[in-house]
Each structure stands twice: as structure tokens, then as C-alpha cells.
Amino acid sequence: MFDIGFWELILIAVVGLVVLGPERLPVAIRNVSRWVGTARRMAGSVRDELEQELKIQELQDNLKKAEQMGMQNLSPDLQQSVDELKKAAEDVQRPYAPKSESEPAADAANASSPTKDKTE
């Protein structure tokens, strides 16, 4: 991005030392490095969100193609996208699924066993 060579960095350091002095120069360098780090993290976050949105859009396009083809005789790419969407839907619905009769009993047994370990 910036075409700064070694001698330009030395010149910037000398000017910073003269202008800020030896006491404030380390503090200024830390502040600038924090700003640069924050900017990089924000840029990375935006890039990750854009990639995720593009992937979601691609999956939606593939699903529309699959629906148009009647969900039969799909290409491997379309079938993979449909499978990913089905898995994501199952993962979203899993926390809201009603618990069966055996699960509360197992939870009660697990809850009582740690108290036994504490008393022993």
C-alpha cells in the first residue's frame, strides 16, 4: 500500500524524535500501533462478513436452482448446497426441539452426581 523504504522510516523516526522528544515518542508509537491494529481488525471483520454474505447468497441461488429442477437429478454442487442448508436448519431448530421423556431423567441424574462427589 505505502511504498516506504528503510531510509524513509529512519527519517520519520528522527523527525518524530526531534518533534516529540524521547519521553513522548514511545507513547506516540504505541498509540499509532493501536490505531493501526484496530483498523486492521475492523477491515478483517468487514471482509469476513462480506465473505459470509456472499456464501449465503451463493447457497440461496443454488437452492433456487434446485427448486426449479424439482430437487431431483441435481448436480453434485447443488446437492452439496442443499445438504448444507438442511444441516444448518437442523442446527438452528435443535435448541428449540421439545425434550423427550428420557432426557429430563438423565439431566436429573447428572445434576445429582456432582453433589455426591463434593461430599466424598
Side-chain angles (χ1 to χ4, degrees):
M1 188 163 110
F2 297 111
D3 189 24
I4 298 177
F6 177 74
W7 293 110
E8 287 91 0
L9 288 174
I10 296 295
L11 181 64
I12 291 170
V14 169
V15 170
L17 185 61
V18 169
V19 171
L20 296 175
E23 296 87 22
R24 293 189 297 179
L25 185 62
V27 174
I29 291 172
R30 274 191 294 262
N31 286 335
V32 168
S33 66
R34 285 182 190 148
W35 292 340
V36 170
T38 301
R40 284 184 178 174
R41 282 190 299 276
M42 288 175 63
S45 173
V46 169
R47 183 181 61 241
D48 291 341
E49 287 179 20
L50 285 174
E51 288 175 359
Q52 184 178 11
E53 288 297 323
L54 289 173
K55 183 176 179 182
I56 289 171
Q57 184 65 36
E58 180 183 356
L59 287 173
Q60 287 176 343
D61 292 343
N62 287 341
L63 183 61
K64 286 179 184 177
K65 287 179 187 176
E67 287 175 351
Q68 290 172 353
M69 293 175 68
M71 299 294 275
Q72 295 174 358
N73 299 328
L74 298 176
S75 69
D77 293 338
L78 288 176
Q79 187 62 43
Q80 182 182 4
S81 294
V82 170
D83 292 341
E84 286 179 25
L85 287 171
K86 286 180 182 178
K87 183 179 179 289
E90 289 173 3
D91 290 343
V92 168
Q93 292 176 355
R94 187 173 299 135
Y96 302 108
K99 291 187 176 184
S100 66
E101 295 290 327
S102 61
E103 288 181 13
D107 290 340
N110 290 339
S112 65
S113 62
T115 55
K116 291 178 183 176
D117 292 339
K118 290 180 184 176
T119 56
E120 291 178 12

